Amino acid sequence: MTRALDLPDAAPRPRALALAAAAAGALLAGRVDRAELVTQVRELCLRTIPVVLLALAFIGVVFEEHAAHEARRALVSLDQAGPMFFELSVREIAPAIAGIVLAARVGSGIAAEVGWMAQSEQVDALRLFGRDLAAELYAPRIAAGMLASMLAAPLGIAAVGLAGGFWAQAFSGGHLAAFVSLRLVTAHDWALLVAKSAASGFAVPVAALHCGLALGGTPDGVARSTAAGVVRGTLWVLAADVAIGATLWWIP
Amino acid sequence: MRAFLSASGRLVLRVLRGVGAYALLAGRLLIATPRMDGREWLRTVSIAGVDALPLCLVTAALTGALVVIQTGFYVESYGVTSLVGWGAGYALFHEFAPLIASLALSGRVGAGQASDIAGLRAGEQLPALEALGVDIDRALLAPRFWAIAASVVVLAVIADVVALSASLLVAVGLLGVPPGAFLASVHASLRVADAVPGIVKAAAFGLALGACSLRAGLAAPAEARGVGAAARRSLVATLTAILALDMALTGLL
């Protein structure tokens, strides 16, 4: 038997770190399959952002309800809490919830697709024909995930502020302007938003790709890889959130 | 105009079909509940509860740390160290612990159940059981539904405790708050009743998680590709249901 025919079975499933390094290398070198990138942006980015916005609008109303309850209890004006609410949306609520929704929507999509490709031996076929997996499989999905994350979080801030503000104005006696006020938002908050969004956008597709490739080769692998991709993506989002929050805590 | 009306009509029909499907599933589950299979219930509790415990613990600990890091920013700014315990406890009990734990479990438990049911359909085991006269509502669906709901409630209570403990550790380590001051703040401003809204929310999230995952599994195409599709649909449906329920219940509780 020739060595070439041994290749698919012998090819090891990449570790998450190796996969991330290969994908980052391809992205930095500009080795990205353009057609696949367009497909992934359409599939992962455009279909995910509306879900993120809907989720964050719900969350905006929930947090406004909590703020209104506590403002009533402490006998202070709800509008005093508005700018703090918006600042918290920028530094924490929007990037964290957008990351978790991203893990569910983008993570499940990538893990299921790549898991299916692994099960139906399409990944092995790509390897056999010497195709660049980093450029054709990893990089387009990670780039689309990062784009989704970097767009979803800032748009999500508007969704949280507007939904909370409208709810406050309609039902709690507050004013919309207070809930979209940038008065307390500093460069530090924007830095947290960018760092957390970039980390989520990178970690979620990497976790999903790794689960898809590692678990997808078995008969029930697609389902297992989908669930595992979402769980690991969610954990990475939370861990990155804690790590970035704690690191930037020391920077004035 | 015609295209808009056509699209609106399709959307309304889709929503009505979904509502009808969930109503039918609820009816089947309620009828089957009194005589459901206890062993299947226990088996699912073991999968959805015991096996998901590590994930729940890690998620809760990270959530607790996260809440204190964010609370700590305001505590430092306004010099109100005495409120850290109250802030963390309130945010965790009322909102974050049940919400984040349920969202994490929707991936581990919900997607797993949906793909399992879809796999049974794809492998023709479900039709085979029905052909042999087994009532799958009593043998499979009702026990799994109630097991998932019960597991989520218990895991949410555990998540409350673990998240608050992680908050204490981070408050002491990062903010330099004395442990006694943190605990005194929790004791002075929070009562056992403050845990009730979170537990009620967790129960609602658990019911939604069970219903969405079973429905996604039953509605998936009976073929291999349907297994992955069921997991994905379950995730999106559960996420939407949990967030919508969270909004509705926060206003009510």
Side-chain angles (χ1 to χ4, degrees):
Chain A
M1 193 177 282
T2 64
R3 190 166 174 73
L5 287 175
D6 285 340
L7 192 62
D9 289 338
R13 305 293 181 199
R15 290 181 179 276
L17 206 60
L19 193 155
L27 282 170
L28 290 173
R31 270 190 304 115
V32 183
D33 186 321
R34 300 275 188 278
E36 185 62 15
L37 179 64
V38 171
T39 308
Q40 293 304 324
V41 167
R42 194 176 61 235
E43 286 294 317
L44 301 179
C45 190
L46 300 183
R47 290 188 178 177
T48 303
I49 289 174
V51 185
V52 174
L53 296 186
L54 181 68
L56 282 165
F58 280 137
I59 291 287
V61 174
V62 168
F63 278 80
E64 187 282 328
E65 286 280 336
H66 284 300
H69 179 260
E70 288 311 300
R72 273 195 298 272
R73 209 163 75 161
L75 299 175
V76 295
S77 163
L78 178 59
D79 286 348
Q80 286 180 340
M84 209 184 284
F85 172 95
F86 195 69
E87 187 196 19
L88 200 56
S89 305
V90 174
R91 58 187 296 132
E92 185 55 50
I93 299 171
I97 301 293
I100 291 172
V101 175
L102 209 71
R105 183 69 185 77
V106 171
S108 65
I110 293 176
E113 186 196 7
V114 175
W116 175 257
M117 287 175 74
Q119 190 183 332
S120 53
E121 298 181 359
Q122 293 173 53
V123 177
D124 289 337
L126 286 171
R127 279 201 191 99
L128 179 63
F129 287 110
R131 306 291 283 266
D132 184 354
L133 287 186
E136 293 182 25
L137 197 66
Y138 311 157
R141 284 162 182 80
I142 291 172
M146 287 189 78
L147 186 64
S149 181
M150 299 301 279
L151 286 175
L155 291 172
I157 293 166
V160 176
L162 288 173
F166 274 122
W167 200 265
Q169 187 146 331
F171 301 106
S172 308
H175 293 92
L176 171 63
F179 282 80
V180 289
S181 166
L182 290 165
R183 191 160 56 83
L184 294 178
V185 183
T186 61
H188 188 267
D189 298 323
W190 293 118
L192 274 171
L193 172 75
V194 171
K196 288 177 180 180
S197 303
S200 299
F202 188 77
V204 167
V206 168
L209 278 163
H210 180 243
C211 289
L213 290 171
L215 303 171
T218 56
D220 63 342
V222 178
R224 282 174 55 216
S225 63
T226 306
V230 173
V231 169
R232 286 186 201 174
T234 306
L235 287 176
W236 275 114
V237 166
L238 290 174
D241 201 332
V242 171
I244 291 168
T247 306
L248 290 191
W249 172 265
W250 305 107
I251 300 172
Chain B
M1 185 65 185
R2 198 172 162 182
F4 173 74
L5 285 174
S6 167
S8 306
R10 272 199 300 274
L11 182 68
V12 170
L13 283 175
R14 210 173 133 192
V15 170
L16 288 176
R17 221 175 280 137
V19 170
Y22 276 105
L24 277 175
L25 178 65
R28 284 171 65 180
L29 291 171
L30 282 176
I31 291 168
T33 295
R35 295 173 67 192
M36 69 181 180
D37 185 340
R39 277 174 306 177
E40 180 65 14
W41 185 86
L42 277 175
R43 202 182 69 83
T44 312
V45 164
S46 154
I47 296 167
V50 180
D51 292 356
L53 186 62
L55 170 69
C56 181
L57 296 180
V58 176
T59 311
L62 288 171
T63 309
L66 210 74
V67 165
V68 162
I69 289 170
Q70 294 309 324
T71 316
F73 171 74
Y74 295 104
V75 166
E76 286 250 314
S77 304
Y78 298 101
V80 282
T81 317
S82 60
L83 291 179
V84 182
W86 166 79
Y90 182 88
L92 289 170
F93 284 8
H94 283 255
E95 196 56 51
F96 283 112
L99 180 67
I100 305 289
S102 302
L103 289 178
L105 290 173
S106 67
R108 174 74 174 76
V109 176
Q113 281 299 323
S115 53
D116 193 40
I117 300 277
L120 289 174
R121 289 189 73 229
E124 297 191 358
Q125 287 137 301
L126 226 52
L129 284 171
E130 286 179 308
L132 290 170
V134 175
D135 182 350
I136 61 159
D137 293 357
R138 273 174 34 205
L140 219 63
L141 302 185
R144 289 188 178 197
F145 174 75
W146 292 113
I148 292 171
S151 300
V152 172
V153 174
V154 175
L155 290 175
V157 173
I158 295 170
D160 274 344
V161 177
V162 173
L164 195 63
S165 308
S167 293
L168 170 64
L169 290 176
V170 176
V172 172
L174 195 70
L175 306 182
V177 176
F182 184 95
L183 292 172
S185 168
V186 171
H187 184 67
S189 51
L190 291 172
R191 291 182 297 277
V192 176
D194 278 305
V196 172
I199 294 171
V200 172
K201 279 184 182 180
F205 298 162
L207 293 173
L209 185 53
C212 291
S213 57
L214 292 181
R215 162 80 188 132
L218 291 170
E223 56 188 60
R225 267 181 174 242
V227 180
R232 282 202 310 279
R233 279 185 195 151
S234 164
L235 281 164
V236 175
T238 309
L239 190 82
T240 313
I242 285 176
L243 291 171
L245 279 169
D246 191 26
M247 190 179 93
L249 290 171
T250 302
L252 291 173
L253 294 169

